Structure formats: structure tokens, C-alpha cells
Amino acid sequence: MLDPRLFRADPDFIRKQLSRRSFDFNSRYYAELEARRKDIQVKTQDLQNERNKRSKLIGQAKAKGEDIQPLLDQVQHMANQLKEAEMELSEIQAKMTGLMEGIPNILDGSVPDGKNEEANIEISRWGESPAFDFEAKDHVDLGARNKRMDFELGAKIAGARFIVLNGALARLQRALIQLMLDTHVSEHGYSETYVPFLVNADSLRGTGQLPKFEADLFKANEDPALYLIPTAEVPVTNMVRDVIIDAKDLPLKLVCHSPCFRSEAGAYGRDMRGMIRQHQFEKVELVQIVRPEESGRAHEELTEHAEVILKKLKLPYRKMLLCAGDTGFSSSKTYDLEVWLPGQGAYREISSCSNFKDFQARRLQARWRNPETGKPELVHTLNGSGLAAGRTLIAVMENYQDAQGQIHIPEALISYMGGIEVIE
């Protein structure tokens, strides 16, 4: 959520900034609500003050033996007026909160203009795509052998966009997850955490999934409302909701492996073949909670941590800076890492690393105590995939295939695979 003071001080600035996202901010409507809020708030305060004065007069009149009924009637009338004013104020504040919750984050100045992914900027590229002397198969054809990758069984058990992994491929995905966790904990200084896979509405509101993206969630329970997590970002970031963090404990660097559940409501017809876009998938998530002045550097660092996994696996990839129109709702700046998939002959996203600045922290009331002022201030939050396990599995399968359809295990994974070097 953006700072309400920005809207009061310069709503035209907000409107211009949000227009970069093609978001139409109705500054006139907001100004009308704000003016009405001020009027009702002043009226409420005046009524409260007047009621308190009349209440004191009742005590004085009673002590003098005077008739207090007129004063009692006046106080009761004011109490009714005050109740009506407080209800109106509450309604206006709810409308303003609802309006604010639907407004995306302001973009960092380094984010390029553009309406869609075609305007994203390539920052760097690493590794060489494999030069096969045969026609590369995609992961679907490679995994279909011996039903190691069984889409039909997944559909039978649950429905479309679910999968069953068997045998060596199930082990390969587990090996990838273990490599990621070990690297981020041992080499990058993250603390591993385990979190619930169901979260309440407050948690999703805190990180920005609610109310705007409810259609993309799987709701598991009505009363109380519980949702399956779309990413471990939600429960991990909510660990600091309504918390004032001691300055010495920053930065917080947390890594978490979890399943992720997404309805993909807005992705009808996209990536229907294979594992690219599933309702359930595995991911290792990186989350950092930092001081505001450190978030820019932390964003570069977190992205590099995700890149290390791709380099260990010797998977060719490129780093993309997302343009204004492709940057997510809560993010101020996002890098996407896109891995080369020979079976598709294209780069595909495997990690998205974002700096949210204080957008999530304001919703979460996640703060740190500044030792210079002694006062609580909002932290900055960041997260990124380190990496998406399913897509990494796909990348290994397609980049390490041979002419016979065998999959050779990257050197970094052989010990995690119990010495297996080839999936026959």
C-alpha cells in the first residue's frame, strides 16, 4: 500500500506515476473522499468535545439541585449525532482503504517504460545453449518414457494442470531442491524456515494478493477463510507482520521450500503442454527484510543468489529488467531470470526477483526501530525464486538430453542423486 500522505500532498504526482503502469487513478474521486473524510472527522471531534462539556454541566447542575433533564436530552441527542458521524466516517475510511488496496506500487526510477514483456530489457546473458546434432525433444516427450512424468495420472487424480512424477525424475526434483536449500543456507547466509501451506486473508492482504488477485487463489475454507499459498513469499513475509524488529537483527534473510498452488485464472489457454504452468508446483523462495537504504543493494544480491544455482547447474540463462507494464502489482522493480529450453527453442522465466520497498511493509505494519531516532520505521521487503523447482527440472531435462533421450545428471547434482549419472 502506498503512503496516504502522498495522495494528500500531490495526487497529480501519483496519477502520473501510476499512468506508467497504464493504471487510471481517479484523483478527483480520491480528493472528494478525502475532503468528505476531513469534514466528518472535524464534525466528529466537535461533537465529542461538546458532549464532554455538556456532561460536565450535568454534574454541576445536579450539585446545585437544578433540573438536569434538558441537559440529559441534549447529551443524548449529541450521542446519536456522534454515532451517525462515526458510522459515516467509518464508511468513508473503508472506501478509501478499498481504493488504496487496489492501487499498485510506484515504480523505481530505473524501470523502463513499456506496456508488455516486449519492452523488457536484457541486462546480461550467461552460458552457451547446447549444440545438439539431433532434434531436441521437450520435457514432455523426454518424461513420457516409462511414465516418469505422468500427466494423465495427474489429471485422473486431480484434474488438468496436475502431474505425477515417478522414479528418477521425482528424485531429480528432490535433488534440485536440496541443492538450492544447501547453497542458500551454507553459501548465502539464509536461515531456513518451514511455514504453513494455508494462510488467512490478513496474510494475503499483507503481501498484496488480496483483494485484487483472489481469483488466482485456491480457497480451502470459508469460516474462517483459509487459502492455499500461491508462494512461500506470503507466509514467510508475514512472519514480520505487526512486528518491530531490532536494528541489530537486520537484514533478515530467510529461505523456504514449499509447494505453491495457483488457479491460473488469468492464464486460460497459455502453456497447456507440459509442466510450465501447473496448479501445483514446488519452489524454493528467498525473502529479505532490510533497512530502507539497503534494499537496492539487497535486490542485486538476492538476484545473484538465484543466478548462482543456474551457474552451478550450468544452465544458460539471461537476466531481464521488467518494464513498467510487466512489473507485478506490489513490486517497485523486478528482475526475471529466464533459462534456455532447447525443446522450445526459447528462454522461459525460472525466477522473478522483486524489491517491494515499503509497499508490503505498510500493509503488514512491519517495522524496525531506528537507533538514531528511537522510533519505529517501515522496513523494505524483497523476495525471489531461488529457484522454481519444476521449471529447473524441465531445464535440466532438456539441456542435458542426448540423442537416445537419456538425461545426463549435472555434476553438481550427482552426490544428491546417490551417484546416478544418467537417467536411462
Side-chain angles (χ1 to χ4, degrees):
M1 185 181 295
L2 298 177
D3 188 344
R5 291 174 295 183
L6 291 175
F7 291 81
R8 296 168 192 151
D10 195 349
D12 287 335
F13 166 79
I14 295 290
R15 180 179 52 78
K16 290 175 183 177
Q17 290 296 316
L18 295 178
S19 68
R20 296 186 65 202
R21 291 179 175 267
S22 299
F23 183 89
D24 185 18
F25 171 57
N26 191 336
S27 56
R28 179 177 295 178
Y29 176 61
Y30 181 86
E32 290 173 356
L33 285 175
E34 175 63 9
R36 186 61 182 153
R37 182 196 66 80
K38 286 181 179 178
D39 289 344
I40 298 298
Q41 196 158 24
V42 170
K43 180 181 177 180
T44 301
Q45 290 170 349
D46 288 345
L47 284 168
Q48 287 173 337
N49 292 335
E50 191 61 30
R51 185 187 61 174
N52 292 339
K53 288 179 183 178
R54 298 298 173 93
S55 297
K56 288 181 181 178
L57 290 175
I58 291 173
Q60 294 171 3
K62 193 173 182 180
K64 295 177 181 179
E66 298 175 352
D67 183 9
I68 63 171
Q69 190 58 47
L71 288 172
L72 289 172
D73 293 341
Q74 291 172 13
V75 169
Q76 183 59 51
H77 180 64
M78 287 179 183
N80 293 336
Q81 288 182 307
L82 182 59
K83 185 176 181 181
E84 291 175 3
E86 288 174 340
M87 287 177 63
E88 187 175 357
L89 180 61
S90 179
E91 289 174 3
I92 292 172
Q93 289 174 331
K95 287 181 181 178
M96 295 186 75
T97 299
L99 183 64
M100 295 282 287
E101 286 182 342
I103 297 173
N105 201 357
I106 291 176
L107 296 165
D108 186 82
S110 62
V111 174
D113 289 330
K115 294 185 177 181
N116 52 47
E117 61 184 18
E118 294 179 2
N120 295 342
I121 295 176
E122 183 175 316
I123 301 298
S124 61
R125 191 175 290 211
W126 186 90
E128 296 292 331
S129 56
F132 296 132
D133 57 1
F134 57 90
E135 184 177 353
K137 296 181 176 65
D138 71 3
H139 66 282
V140 179
D141 291 333
L142 290 166
R145 298 185 176 197
N146 301 323
K147 295 286 186 180
R148 289 195 175 106
M149 186 175 283
D150 199 328
F151 294 94
E152 292 180 1
L153 186 54
K156 173 186 173 182
I157 294 170
R161 299 200 185 204
F162 288 92
I163 190 173
V164 173
L165 294 177
N166 292 305
L169 286 187
R171 182 170 187 175
L172 180 56
Q173 177 171 266
R174 176 163 55 88
L176 286 165
I177 292 166
Q178 195 62 55
L179 170 69
M180 295 173 196
L181 289 171
D182 286 351
T183 300
H184 296 314
V185 171
S186 300
E187 299 178 21
H188 299 152
Y190 288 81
S191 176
E192 186 174 356
T193 187
Y194 174 84
V195 294
F197 302 154
L198 286 165
V199 291
N200 56 34
D202 286 343
S203 294
L204 288 159
R205 193 170 289 107
T207 45
Q209 281 78 14
L210 286 180
K212 187 174 178 61
F213 301 105
E214 185 164 12
D216 293 324
L217 303 169
F218 282 113
K219 195 170 188 179
N221 196 57
E222 285 291 343
D223 189 19
L226 289 173
Y227 299 81
L228 290 167
I229 60 170
T231 165
E233 165 202 344
V234 178
V236 175
T237 309
N238 269 273
M239 290 168 68
V240 296
R241 172 156 50 99
D242 297 322
V243 172
I244 299 176
I245 306 165
D246 197 300
K248 65 179 176 57
D249 294 327
L250 292 177
L252 290 178
K253 297 169 64 175
L254 302 167
V255 61
C256 180
H257 159 243
S258 77
C260 306
F261 305 90
R262 299 182 185 177
S263 72
E264 298 291 356
Y268 181 77
R270 294 177 58 194
D271 299 317
M272 290 301 291
R273 178 175 169 82
M275 281 184 67
I276 293 292
R277 199 173 294 277
Q278 295 280 286
H279 289 313
Q280 175 185 319
F281 58 95
E282 303 290 307
K283 188 149 66 82
V284 171
E285 190 77 4
L286 305 174
V287 171
Q288 290 201 27
I289 313 295
V290 304
R291 302 182 187 199
E293 67 271 17
E294 296 177 353
S295 67
R297 179 196 57 77
H299 189 206
E300 301 296 328
E301 176 193 74
L302 184 147
T303 306
E304 290 172 5
H305 293 161
E307 291 181 75
V308 165
I309 304 299
L310 291 166
K311 290 176 179 178
K312 285 194 172 198
L313 296 170
K314 298 180 180 178
L315 293 172
Y317 71 94
R318 64 182 185 180
K319 176 182 175 181
M320 306 293 291
L321 173 60
L322 300 195
C323 72
D326 203 30
T327 301
F329 175 83
S330 300
S331 176
S332 177
K333 181 179 180 179
T334 296
Y335 291 118
D336 270 6
L337 302 180
E338 299 180 347
V339 70
W340 176 254
L341 296 182
Q344 295 190 17
Y347 284 97
R348 298 302 301 268
E349 177 198 335
I350 197 168
S351 175
S352 189
C353 301
S354 298
N355 183 357
F356 303 99
K357 297 192 176 177
D358 63 8
F359 187 83
Q360 290 181 328
R362 183 168 285 103
R363 289 170 172 248
L364 296 161
Q365 281 301 290
R367 294 165 292 170
W368 69 295
R369 193 172 297 281
N370 189 329
E372 295 182 3
T373 65
K375 296 179 179 179
E377 299 177 11
L378 294 172
V379 295
H380 280 194
T381 62
L382 308 95
N383 72 53
S385 307
L387 303 162
R391 293 194 179 190
T392 312
L393 173 67
I394 292 170
V396 169
M397 291 173 67
E398 294 192 11
N399 281 278
Y400 282 85
Q401 64 179 294
D402 63 22
Q404 289 72 45
Q406 299 179 120
I407 301 164
H408 295 257
I409 304 300
E411 183 179 354
L413 289 175
I414 291 175
S415 62
Y416 292 99
M417 290 290 291
I420 296 172
E421 297 185 5
V422 180
I423 298 177
E424 299 290 346

